[in-house]
Structures are given as C-alpha cells and as structure tokens.
C-alpha cells in the first residue's frame, strides 16, 4: 500500500506521461490486463485513458486493472488512470 507522500511523488512523475493504453466500449479484458502488466514491468508507472464510449465507470475500470495487474491506483484524474507497480527487474523509480 502506498503512503500519501509516495502517491504525491508518483502523481508528480505521472504528470508528464502520456496515456499508452485506452479502455473503450468493450471495457477491460484479459489481453489488455496482460499488456498493461508487461508495460508496468518495464515502466513501473503509466497512464491509461478511458474513452468516452466506455460503458463502465472509471473507478470500476481502475479497480479491475489494479486487481488484474497487481498494481496500485495512484490517481484517477479526468478520464485518465495512473497505475504504479514496482518492477522486479527494471526498477528505476525510488519511492520516498
């Protein structure tokens, strides 16, 4: 579980990131979770964009992604979700 200080640190880092995944009309599926998990292993921190035509609520999508990938939801801002998962091999973010 992330502390408030760690979340603030990660939010500041995520500010400059562009979303690299989009959740659309079909919502979250296994393939998407697998790809996001791989990307989290490489990057540790990423943004996922929720498109206007997504039928599910963004908090539900965030929970599904976090649960499926084992990541932490750092922030839900607008239609973007920021996820963080400590990498096993490519650790490059040092939390305060």
């Amino acid at each position: 579980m992330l502390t408030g200080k760690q979340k603030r640190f990660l939010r500041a880092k995520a500010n400059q990131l562009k979303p690299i995944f989009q959740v659309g009309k079909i919502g979250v599926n296994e393939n998407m979770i697998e790809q996001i998990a791989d990307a989290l292993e490489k990057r540790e921190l990423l943004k996922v964009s929720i498109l206007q035509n997504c039928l599910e609520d963004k908090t539900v999508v965030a929970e599904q992604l976090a649960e499926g990938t084992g990541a932490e939801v750092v922030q839900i801002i607008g239609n973007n979700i920021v996820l963080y998962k400590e990498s096993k091999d490519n650790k490059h973010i040092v939390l305060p």
Side-chain angles (χ1 to χ4, degrees), residues 6-74:
Q6 290 170 330
K7 282 189 177 185
R8 272 195 308 277
F9 173 78
L10 290 170
R11 279 200 299 263
K13 276 196 148 325
N15 195 17
Q16 65 220 358
L17 294 178
K18 300 258 184 280
I20 56 170
F21 289 98
Q22 295 180 327
V23 179
K25 194 164 152 185
I26 58 169
V28 178
N29 58 33
E30 282 301 313
N31 186 29
M32 180 184 293
I33 287 175
E34 229 171 81
Q35 288 180 345
I36 290 175
D38 288 346
L40 278 166
E41 179 58 37
K42 289 183 182 76
R43 297 170 181 240
E44 291 188 304
L45 186 69
L46 58 85
K47 271 187 188 174
V48 179
S49 176
I50 300 174
L51 300 177
Q52 295 294 321
N53 64 356
C54 184
L55 303 174
E56 294 183 48
D57 186 56
K58 56 190 168 192
T59 53
V60 173
V61 171
E63 284 172 18
Q64 288 175 338
L65 291 175
E67 199 176 295
T69 60
E72 293 269 350
V73 177
V74 176

